[in-house]
Amino acid sequence: MPLAPPPPPLRLATRPALALAIALAAGIGLGRAAPAVDPVVWALLGIAVVTFAMGYVVVTHNRLVSLGPIALAVAVGGTAVALGAARDAAWRATPPDGVQRVAEAAWAADSLGDRAPITIWGTVLDAPEMTWSIRFTADVDSAARGETSGAVRGRVQVSLRVGDAGAVYPVLRPGDRVRLTGRLEPLPRLRNPAQFDYGAYLARQGVGAMLTVESEGDAAFLGPSRRPHTRIANGTRAHIETTLARHVPDADVRALLRALLLADRSGIEAGTLDAFRETGLMHLLAVSGLHVGLVGLALYVLLKPLLGRLGVRRRRLERVRAVVTLAVLAVYVLVAGASVSIVRAFVMVALVIAGRALDRKSDALNALGVAALGILIHRPAALFDVGFQLSFGAVFALVTLTPLLTSTVPERVRYSKAGMFVVGSIVTSVVATIGTAPALLVHFGRLPIGGLVLNVVAIPLTAATLGAGLGCALTAWAPPIAATFGALATVTGQGLLWTTEAGAVVLGEIAYNGFLDSTPALLALLLGIAAMVLWRRPVARRRLALAAAGCLAIGMWSGFAAGDARPRLDAVFFDVGQGDATLLSTPSGRHVLIDAGLRSPYVDEGERTVLPHLERFGIARLDAFVLTHADADHIGGARSVLERVEVGRLVVNGQDGTSDLWADVLRLADSLGVPVQPVGAGDTLLVDTTVRFRVLGPAGPMESPNDASVVLAVEHGTTRWLLTGDAEAAGEAALLARFGERLKADVVKVGHHGSRTSSTPPLVDAAGQPQFAVVSVARRNRYGLPDEEPIARWAATGAAVLHTSTEGAVWLRSDGESIERVDWRRR
């Protein structure tokens, strides 16, 4: 059902809901910028603005010329801004009985050695999803730890560990009551500059803590939901899953249909999901307007002849089919998980259908504003979700820019159905790309262009697959018909998958790559889009274009003013758990990676930590990749790095490792044509003329692999850095014997993760008085590291001892004269 396009020229004043939504969003942003302000203060400020504006209206109502309308607008807008700020402050506040406080207390007790598990009682909120564990969100109402118990409020992200033995847990559905026992932890803090901030994501969903359950005996099903709507949604979901399993034989298409119908992507292979991302077709898997529109339109259209045959009069007919359609759509929203995109689509479709039933027109932008108001009042943190930004940005652009671009199409094309279909599909793709560009560049640093062409084929295939899947689910009572729909869904679904995967090969590389970090540049892009939206208002268009140009100029000059062009050496000591990985970036734009962390059955630190950082900061080439020695906690992520990044040379210690992992890394380097450079004490790495890389170790063959670590001394101006790998007492003695006083350093990478076998008193004394001592170590490790003695020695020198286990990644920067710590969380 088409939404009414906005009348030209576009005017915000004619759409009060959209204006209020913008003011509310501004208030939420203001509240986030001033997090210390209490909700009551924001409410009082709102009351003050309203009082002042209304007082002005009362005083000036008899004047011939009055600014009363503007004052009223200020009052309403100020109220919305204050409401947004107060609502956000209230959302972020932790209640006394909040699960966050329980998790913090448990975390503190755990740090002191008290690792007693916690038992919680609560309700499952969403459908469990299977990854390396079974994950779902639970609404907690009570908790117990030891002899202490009480009422608790809040949401918990639950992980049921499956393990190698394949633990079997109860089958859980939304609404089920459960009792769970495990380790309760606060939300994880961001550990590395380029990693996805999972803790912040969970917080935006209202989750306050994480619970890990280790065995099936610690998870108990207490009873199903008693709420009728939850039971209906669960029954509908189970019916769809059973029908698809019975009538859609192809597993890949079945997984695709689960994503399209139920918003469950867990069954789609990782390579296929990557293909959807690379081609810019990921939006097709998000349950949103296409899905809600297809379900709602099909039912809405079919109900008219059916109710007409039953003798229902027109006015009552419109209202009856509106109520029935909206009730079915509400159930579908619950079945699909009630994400931001589907709730937004439901609200907009509901307003259109309600308008038809009441013989009133519905404005698309006003409907968009109503949807935004509802979502942001309910969950103000949604404003910062990439899903919210993409969904509303795309729809806003579609509503405002599609009529503008379509009007430029020649008339001969407009009267051709085939031509208009192709042009319309391209226009839709272009407009949606424009609307989502700011969010994509800020969050992902990639704007796919190939989707502009692929959407012409992919969107009809998606609609056909979705329609056939719905037909299959609705005709399950007639197996031959359901099988026919299942066969059709298989054909169109395979066509969509083939289009996506082939498009990734042919068009996947056609994209703009680069993160939008600069605030002035982001403002310039938003102002440019606004100028396009207001194209039919020449004065506003010119002003916005000039403002965009001004923002770009400010961005360029602010970079120079902040000293971005000054030469500097950056060192990032990644948090890779119980392992090592350090990236050095020189003033001339050269990059040296030293080790790549651990790889295990559950995580590859090269892929999870190192590669995202290189991509995030535009590092496409490593001039040198140093593997200090062959231990798995140093070279585990090397394969991922070698496969994905151009490497100038692989620097090794020249002593043969005995592990299969070490042999695999060397074979891969050879197959990729990466030169392997063995080094020893006295060698120099030529990387950058402004930075000197001297090799201090190994001094020769060593009995211990740790003592054979490549040890580097890095000099930039007058600042010195000592990176000791895992060298232990014998290796350190060799360093002292050969280099002695030349081991003085401003920054020391503490050897062997802070073990007492390293950081011997003679080495610590030789290092002088370093400014920083960095320890790469995991919070929980089976070795009990770091040991107290070496840490005390480094602290006694006056160095700031920084542990990656508590600090996360440590980023240090040298200008050649001094070294400062970079607060990368505020960048």
Side-chain angles (χ1 to χ4, degrees):
M1 176 174 313
L3 298 172
L10 177 65
R11 296 185 183 280
L12 189 63
T14 60
R15 295 166 178 86
L18 180 63
L20 285 174
I22 293 173
L24 184 73
I28 293 172
L30 184 62
R32 195 58 59 97
V37 180
D38 190 84
V40 176
V41 175
W42 290 117
L44 292 175
L45 287 174
I47 293 173
V49 171
V50 172
T51 302
F52 176 80
M54 296 307 296
Y56 177 85
V57 172
V58 172
V59 171
T60 62
H61 75 283
N62 288 326
R63 295 181 184 178
L64 183 62
V65 178
S66 172
L67 299 178
I70 296 177
L72 286 174
V74 170
V76 175
T79 301
V81 171
L83 174 63
R87 183 71 185 95
D88 181 69
W91 169 269
R92 289 182 283 105
T94 302
D97 58 349
V99 71
Q100 298 97 317
R101 298 188 186 276
V102 178
E104 289 167 0
W107 183 262
D110 181 88
S111 300
L112 297 175
D114 180 4
R115 299 187 177 181
I118 287 183
T119 299
I120 66 168
W121 288 262
T123 304
V124 178
L125 292 180
D126 51 20
E129 180 177 321
M130 180 68 185
T131 53
W132 55 269
S133 65
I134 301 173
R135 292 186 182 182
F136 59 89
T137 306
D139 189 17
V140 181
D141 51 54
S142 57
R145 189 171 193 262
E147 300 297 325
T148 305
S149 63
V152 176
R153 283 190 294 163
R155 294 182 175 185
V156 169
Q157 177 79 7
V158 180
S159 295
L160 307 179
R161 287 284 181 87
V162 176
D164 298 333
V168 179
Y169 291 94
V171 176
L172 300 176
R173 297 181 177 86
D176 289 349
R177 285 284 300 171
V178 292
R179 183 185 69 245
L180 304 165
T181 301
R183 186 177 70 249
L184 188 69
E185 298 177 329
L187 297 181
R189 193 182 184 198
L190 184 62
R191 309 299 303 174
N192 290 285
Q195 279 184 334
F196 174 63
D197 194 346
Y198 189 57
Y201 165 77
L202 290 177
R204 291 195 295 269
Q205 313 309 310
V207 175
M210 300 175 67
L211 181 76
T212 302
V213 179
E214 297 292 346
S215 66
E216 61 265 38
D218 294 328
F221 168 73
L222 302 180
S225 173
R226 297 180 180 179
R227 297 178 179 179
H229 64 276
T230 303
R231 290 191 170 191
I232 293 172
N234 288 341
T236 303
R237 189 180 186 93
H239 168 76
I240 293 174
E241 291 177 342
T242 302
T243 303
L244 294 179
R246 184 175 301 164
H247 298 293
V248 181
D250 189 291
D252 291 336
V253 174
R254 195 161 58 244
L256 177 65
L257 284 169
R258 284 175 58 85
L260 294 175
L261 293 171
L262 304 176
D264 179 6
R265 303 176 190 170
S266 60
I268 301 179
E269 294 183 359
T272 302
L273 287 175
D274 289 339
F276 273 95
R277 293 189 188 96
E278 290 172 8
T279 54
L281 299 180
M282 199 68 180
H283 65 95
L284 299 177
L285 299 181
V287 179
S288 57
L290 175 65
H291 311 71
V292 173
L294 187 58
V295 174
L297 278 176
L299 182 60
Y300 192 73
V301 171
L302 291 174
L303 282 175
K304 185 172 184 178
L306 177 62
L307 294 174
R309 289 181 179 276
L310 295 176
V312 181
R313 294 183 178 180
R314 179 187 175 279
R315 183 173 293 275
R316 179 172 294 180
L317 181 149
E318 289 295 337
R319 293 181 179 179
V320 170
R321 71 171 178 157
V323 171
V324 172
T325 300
L326 293 180
V328 172
L329 284 179
V331 172
Y332 181 58
V333 169
L334 294 176
V335 169
S339 65
V340 166
S341 59
I342 193 172
V343 171
R344 185 265 308 155
F346 170 74
V347 172
M348 296 184 71
V349 170
L351 290 174
V352 174
I353 291 177
R356 288 288 297 271
L358 299 174
D359 290 327
R360 294 187 177 182
K361 291 183 178 180
S362 178
D363 179 80
L365 289 179
N366 233 16
L368 187 67
V370 172
L373 283 171
I375 292 172
L376 292 178
I377 290 175
H378 172 67
R379 185 166 65 90
L383 179 66
F384 307 100
D385 271 345
V386 62
F388 179 94
Q389 297 166 11
L390 290 174
S391 179
F392 280 84
V395 174
F396 181 80
L398 286 170
V399 173
T400 56
L401 295 180
T402 299
L404 179 66
L405 295 186
T406 303
S407 65
T408 63
V409 177
E411 289 190 8
R412 64 178 182 276
V413 178
R414 292 188 206 175
Y415 292 114
S416 168
K417 291 184 178 181
M420 199 57 200
F421 169 78
V422 174
V423 172
S425 298
I426 294 176
V427 167
T428 300
S429 298
V430 171
V431 166
T433 301
I434 292 173
T436 57
L440 289 173
L441 292 175
V442 168
H443 295 285
F444 305 112
R446 191 171 191 273
L447 186 63
I449 308 299
L452 298 178
V453 177
L454 294 175
N455 274 323
V456 177
V457 178
I459 291 178
L461 284 173
T462 303
T465 304
L466 177 62
L470 285 171
C472 182
L474 294 173
T475 59
W477 53 271
I481 300 177
T484 302
F485 277 116
L488 177 60
T490 299
V491 172
T492 56
Q494 288 176 341
L496 176 59
L497 293 173
W498 182 89
T499 299
T500 303
E501 291 169 359
V505 174
V506 178
L507 302 174
E509 296 299 322
I510 304 178
Y512 173 80
N513 295 300
F515 281 87
L516 193 58
D517 292 324
S518 167
T519 300
L522 175 60
L523 288 175
L525 178 58
L526 293 173
L527 290 169
I529 294 174
M532 296 176 63
V533 170
L534 298 175
W535 191 263
R536 289 170 175 164
R537 297 178 62 180
V539 175
R541 182 184 70 216
R542 285 195 295 269
R543 288 174 178 173
L544 289 169
L546 288 173
C551 285
L552 286 177
I554 291 172
M556 288 187 292
W557 282 106
S558 63
F560 289 114
D564 289 350
R566 288 183 298 179
R568 62 196 186 192
L569 172 68
D570 283 289
V572 180
F573 301 88
F574 295 110
D575 176 14
V576 289
Q578 193 60 28
D580 260 324
T582 304
L583 178 69
L584 300 179
S585 299
T586 73
S588 299
R590 305 295 180 90
H591 305 281
V592 177
L593 178 65
I594 305 168
D595 293 327
L598 180 70
R599 184 177 68 190
S600 72
Y602 304 106
V603 65
D604 178 345
E605 293 293 353
E607 183 175 2
R608 184 177 76 168
T609 303
V610 177
L611 287 174
H613 186 94
L614 300 180
E615 181 181 353
R616 178 67 178 79
F617 293 95
I619 300 173
R621 185 179 192 275
L622 294 173
D623 296 273
F625 184 6
V626 181
L627 297 178
T628 57
H629 60 300
D631 281 4
D633 58 334
H634 291 249
I635 67 170
R639 167 173 275 274
S640 298
V641 174
L642 287 168
E643 288 178 335
R644 298 269 295 276
V645 179
E646 180 186 352
V647 175
R649 53 185 155 159
L650 185 66
V651 179
V652 299
N653 61 8
Q655 302 187 24
D656 294 335
T658 58
S659 69
D660 293 337
L661 180 59
W662 179 251
D664 177 66
V665 170
L666 294 181
R667 281 195 301 268
L668 178 61
D670 181 65
S671 67
L672 295 173
V674 177
V676 177
Q677 179 183 355
V679 296
D683 291 338
T684 299
L685 298 181
L686 298 178
V687 177
D688 188 319
T689 56
T690 62
V691 179
R692 185 180 182 188
F693 289 81
R694 293 188 298 129
V695 180
L696 306 186
M702 308 294 291
E703 292 185 8
S704 167
N706 289 336
D707 287 322
S709 294
V710 174
V711 178
L712 293 176
V714 182
E715 299 175 5
H716 176 228
T718 60
T719 63
R720 287 172 168 75
W721 311 60
L722 179 62
L723 312 175
T724 61
D726 274 0
E728 298 179 300
E732 292 181 357
L735 291 175
L736 290 163
R738 181 161 182 175
F739 297 101
E741 293 295 324
R742 285 177 288 175
L743 294 177
K744 290 188 180 298
D746 300 293
V747 175
V748 174
K749 170 68 174 53
V750 175
H752 203 192
H753 318 287
S755 169
R756 62 171 53 92
T757 60
S758 300
S759 299
T760 57
L763 179 79
V764 174
D765 291 340
Q769 296 180 324
Q771 184 179 350
F772 297 100
V774 182
V775 188
S776 182
V777 65
R779 180 177 184 270
R780 284 193 179 92
N781 63 82
R782 58 181 176 174
Y783 312 104
L785 298 177
D787 291 320
E788 293 181 2
E789 302 96 309
I791 299 304
R793 290 187 199 118
W794 288 114
T797 66
V801 182
L802 305 176
H803 301 216
T804 58
S805 58
T806 56
E807 304 287 338
V810 175
W811 189 327
L812 302 177
R813 175 174 293 164
S814 164
D815 61 2
E817 298 178 356
S818 62
I819 298 173
E820 64 177 1
R821 186 176 178 188
V822 177
D823 187 357
W824 52 265
R825 289 187 175 90
R826 294 181 179 272
R827 282 174 62 90

